Amino acid sequence: MALAEATVPRRRVATHAVERREKRVGRMVSRVLFIALLGGVTVVFLAPLVWLVSASLKTRSEVFSGGWLPDPVTWSNYVDVWRAAPLFSWLRNSVVVGLLGATAVTLSSAAVAFGFAYFRFKGRDALFGLVLATMMLPGAVTMIPIFLIWNGLGMVNTLVPLWAGNLFGSAFYVFLLRQFYLGVPRDLFDAARIDGANYLQMWWRVALPLTRTALIVVFVFEFKALWTDLLKPLIYLYDNALFTMPRGIKTLIDRFGQGGEMQWELVLAATTVLTVPLIVLFFFGQRYFIEGIATTGTKG
Amino acid sequence: MGALRTGTVASRPAVGRSGLRRAEARAGWSFIAPWVVGFLVFTAVPMVASLYLSFTEYDVLRPPRSVGFENYRELATDPRLRLALWNSFLYTALYVPLSVALALGLALMLDRVTRAAGFFRTAFYVPSLTPTVAVGALFLWVLNPSVGILNRALALVGVDGPGWTTDPAWIKPGLVVMSLWSLGGTIVILYAALRNVPRNLYEAARIEGASGWAEFRHVTFPMISGAVFFVLIVNTIASLQVFDEVYTMYFGQMDSGAGGSAALFYVVYLFRQAFEFLNMGYASAMAWLLFVVILVITLFQLRVSRSWVYYEGR
């Protein structure tokens, strides 16, 4: 970071001592302003999350009136929401959908991306253009017919429609992973061929390990998307016990809202349970995550 | 890349070559087979079906009944649809320029951070990790007119904050504030683009005497304009389709009064038509209208971009 300033050659101009001092003061003022601004923005960004966790530990009256720290610290909200709603089932469903869906999309997109990156065959580039074109299509266009398909298969009110579509890859990830494969020297694959590997082994033993970072990015992206999704669970799930966490929290808000007395401390406890695991996951995969966004963003 | 490969293959006998070609094509097709099947089942067929349904009346219980252009005619006269379209446009027109400008400013700040860069990057990014339902639930509180932290913060500087969640005129600005909180993804993309600007360009600019604004205008911005354009398009498409947070905040088993109209966004209305009122035909027509709107806006942005986006080596 300091590199930019260090490598810029200072212009060797004779400056009066006074001017130099003024310049230094000016620099210090702008430095202080910069740090204040940076600190301010950081506080603004983190405040709602701090408030969320803090409020989830407050009593109901304190949620409405209290300050930043819960007094007394009320852990019982977590126990109460656990009793008021099948939170365990919701969590389990979210984890199942997230893991299955993210694994499915990672492997299938990697296979498809490898197909597009390594092999030459007629119509390949036109098909890849089609992959890119599908990214433009708003989900709303296919939403109803896809619902009718799952309905026809008797899969509505099961978790299957939430993740099984991922078995067929996803345009965005195919695009992303293909970029990574194109960066791998072709010689590496050819060497594996000469050593007697078949195509499947080339993919599994050479391509996948070489692009591990990208695979983690795809997995974490998709896990986040599935963990967060509200629309599909709204469309496909009717039974309370089958709900995922977002769908469950939405019913909590509706239920309490309808009954007149909003049990916000419980809603906020459930919301914390939904939010914190994702942030923890991010802290572990942070480097990959930000690199991944950077790659997709700038090479897009 | 392809040329290299042909070199090795060409040295083989002719018969083996075409055999290899065919084997390669077969293998290629098997690798992309999942996508081909998925495209047919989950994109191509649904698109045709959706187009067909848009000319019918369909409630899932009885078979679809053809109504010609009736749904499209209704689109033109439905005041709720006009409201939803207007709300989504207004929200997008407020959110997109603000989000890109703000994210660019914050990315420029991050680019200058010399110490604890990882901490600040994370701090800026973490809000965008918050699940959308959680954002909705959380911001009902942040924006709460009497006890929310936003109005309490405004009170500190002597401003009497508006009814972000209760006053119809302020509901959309409130939602924009909420979305701005989670612009971390945009910041990271622009930040990465900034890091990729060759540092020697800045040296050259400084030797020429450029500094501050001139440096930004002539060096920094042209170099990152591709990334700016990318986030502009992506944010536009996404905000026209915003659903989760708005639905969490303003729609329940009982419709809340003010939110029901000021927060009736396009996809929210579409979802309700399809899955609450079971007007699948009408909702399909709505989906195609959305598609056309997004297409037109994207093509327009592409066209305009030619005048300000700089592509290296092109």
Side-chain angles (χ1 to χ4, degrees):
Chain A
M1 314 255 130
L3 204 71
E5 284 142 54
T7 53
V8 172
R10 295 251 162 74
R11 274 198 292 166
R12 303 207 176 275
V13 184
T15 342
H16 290 297
V18 182
E19 248 176 59
R20 218 181 305 167
R21 197 176 316 130
E22 272 176 5
K23 251 191 187 162
R24 206 182 310 146
V25 170
R27 247 204 313 262
M28 239 169 69
V29 169
S30 72
R31 185 93 203 131
V32 168
L33 283 178
F34 176 76
I35 290 170
L37 192 59
L38 190 68
V41 175
T42 308
V43 169
V44 167
F45 272 128
L46 293 183
L49 286 172
V50 173
W51 183 85
L52 168 68
V53 176
S54 155
S56 75
L57 296 170
K58 288 175 177 173
T59 60
R60 187 171 317 165
S61 62
E62 229 205 336
V63 172
F64 288 95
S65 60
W68 282 91
L69 289 176
D71 177 36
V73 176
T74 320
W75 292 102
S76 60
N77 291 337
Y78 287 89
V79 182
D80 291 346
V81 71
W82 209 269
R83 288 212 191 103
L87 208 64
F88 178 74
S89 310
W90 295 351
L91 263 178
R92 190 196 50 210
N93 296 335
S94 276
V95 169
V96 166
V97 169
L99 289 182
L100 285 176
T103 308
V105 97
T106 307
L107 288 178
S108 58
S109 301
V112 174
F114 187 63
F116 276 119
Y118 183 76
F119 302 95
R120 276 160 307 155
F121 50 90
K122 235 173 148 185
R124 181 192 68 177
D125 295 339
L127 273 178
F128 190 68
L130 202 58
V131 173
L132 297 184
T134 58
M135 288 202 283
M136 286 251 315
L137 189 73
V141 171
T142 49
M143 182 169 82
I144 292 168
I146 291 176
F147 168 78
L148 297 174
I149 292 173
W150 289 119
N151 192 33
L153 293 172
M155 292 290 184
V156 167
N157 208 24
T158 71
L159 296 178
V160 178
L162 304 194
W163 65 268
N166 283 359
L167 287 168
F168 304 97
S170 136
F172 178 64
Y173 301 134
V174 168
F175 170 71
L176 170 70
L177 291 171
R178 179 176 163 275
Q179 296 289 101
F180 276 87
Y181 286 137
L182 291 179
V184 175
R186 208 182 166 88
D187 298 353
L188 278 173
F189 294 121
D190 289 335
R193 286 238 68 192
I194 291 164
D195 287 345
N198 63 33
Y199 290 124
L200 204 60
Q201 288 167 328
M202 270 163 64
W203 175 62
W204 188 256
R205 300 233 178 106
V206 184
L208 289 190
L210 278 174
T211 51
R212 206 173 48 213
T213 313
L215 296 177
I216 294 174
V217 169
V218 169
F219 186 90
V220 175
F221 264 4
E222 185 62 17
F223 187 85
K224 187 214 163 201
L226 293 162
W227 183 263
T228 308
D229 187 32
L230 174 66
L231 188 55
K232 272 194 185 165
L234 273 175
I235 294 175
Y236 289 103
L237 304 177
Y238 307 134
D239 283 351
N240 204 292
L242 278 174
F243 287 172
T244 56
M245 278 298 285
R247 178 80 171 88
I249 289 174
K250 174 63 180 144
T251 50
L252 282 184
I253 295 174
D254 291 349
R255 189 208 304 172
F256 296 144
Q258 208 174 24
E261 192 176 25
M262 189 59 138
Q263 293 178 287
W264 270 111
E265 71 286 4
L266 301 191
V267 172
L268 294 169
T271 305
T272 308
V273 174
L274 174 71
T275 307
V276 169
L278 209 55
I279 292 176
V280 171
L281 180 71
F282 170 75
F283 270 107
F284 286 110
Q286 186 182 163
R287 201 161 53 84
Y288 302 117
F289 214 85
I290 288 195
E291 263 174 33
I293 301 169
T295 317
T296 33
T298 50
K299 290 187 182 159
Chain B
M1 216 167 251
L4 255 173
R5 173 101 179 132
T6 324
T8 54
V9 176
S11 59
R12 293 170 186 269
V15 181
R17 191 205 297 172
S18 75
L20 260 182
R21 279 262 170 81
R22 240 176 297 139
E24 185 177 336
R26 235 189 345 258
W29 277 100
S30 3
F31 272 101
I32 68 164
W35 178 78
V36 174
V37 173
F39 173 77
L40 292 175
V41 176
F42 290 110
T43 306
V45 170
M47 275 178 84
V48 175
S50 163
L51 196 59
Y52 164 72
L53 284 177
S54 76
F55 294 102
T56 67
E57 206 179 276
Y58 184 48
D59 62 3
V60 191
L61 309 169
R62 284 159 298 180
R65 191 170 63 81
S66 177
V67 293
F69 281 91
E70 192 47 48
N71 289 326
Y72 289 94
R73 221 168 292 143
E74 208 181 320
L75 281 179
T77 54
D78 178 357
R80 302 280 289 166
L81 179 110
R82 214 170 306 152
L83 179 69
L85 203 53
W86 170 246
N87 283 343
S88 288
F89 274 141
L90 200 62
Y91 166 83
T92 304
L94 278 174
Y95 169 70
V96 172
L98 274 176
S99 71
V100 175
L102 206 62
L104 184 55
L106 296 175
L108 283 166
M109 279 179 76
L110 276 185
D111 193 40
R112 266 191 201 192
V113 171
T114 44
R115 245 167 282 164
F119 167 76
F120 290 109
R121 250 184 355 224
T122 310
F124 286 16
Y125 188 71
V126 157
S128 65
L129 279 170
T130 311
T132 42
V133 171
V135 173
L138 184 53
F139 269 73
L140 270 177
W141 275 99
V142 171
L143 299 173
N144 185 296
S146 48
V147 297
I149 52 178
L150 181 55
N151 277 1
R152 275 201 268 167
L154 287 174
L156 287 182
V157 291
V159 175
D160 202 7
W164 299 104
T165 53
T166 47
D167 181 349
W170 283 97
I171 281 177
K172 272 178 288 291
L175 290 169
V176 170
V177 168
M178 175 195 72
S179 308
L180 286 177
W181 181 63
S182 13
L183 52 61
T186 311
I187 298 176
V188 170
I189 290 173
L190 295 177
Y191 170 75
L194 284 173
R195 307 293 318 159
N196 283 338
V197 178
R199 298 286 140 164
N200 58 6
L201 289 179
Y202 290 122
E203 281 171 42
R206 257 168 240 186
I207 289 166
E208 305 257 321
S211 67
W213 173 243
E215 190 182 273
F216 176 78
R217 224 191 112 198
H218 298 294
V219 180
T220 313
F221 191 76
M223 292 307 290
I224 61 164
S225 55
V228 172
F229 179 60
F230 175 79
V231 296
L232 212 54
I233 292 228
V234 169
N235 286 6
T236 305
I237 294 178
S239 67
L240 282 172
Q241 299 181 72
V242 73
F243 176 85
D244 287 9
E245 301 95 319
V246 179
Y247 192 81
T248 304
M249 288 169 81
Y250 294 113
F251 296 87
Q253 286 154 353
M254 283 195 320
D255 290 352
S256 44
S261 55
L264 186 72
F265 284 19
Y266 198 88
V267 175
V268 173
Y269 188 47
L270 195 158
F271 168 81
R272 308 196 74 193
Q273 282 292 349
F275 296 99
E276 283 179 28
F277 316 138
L278 293 181
N279 292 327
M280 298 262 176
Y282 189 57
S284 298
M286 279 187 73
W288 281 97
L289 177 64
L290 179 67
F291 180 43
V292 171
V293 166
I294 287 178
L295 200 65
V296 168
I297 292 180
T298 307
L299 290 177
F300 175 74
Q301 284 176 324
L302 270 171
R303 171 49 79 83
V304 173
S305 78
R306 279 186 221 151
S307 65
W308 65 271
V309 177
Y310 167 79
Y311 291 104
E312 220 176 333
R314 235 171 275 174

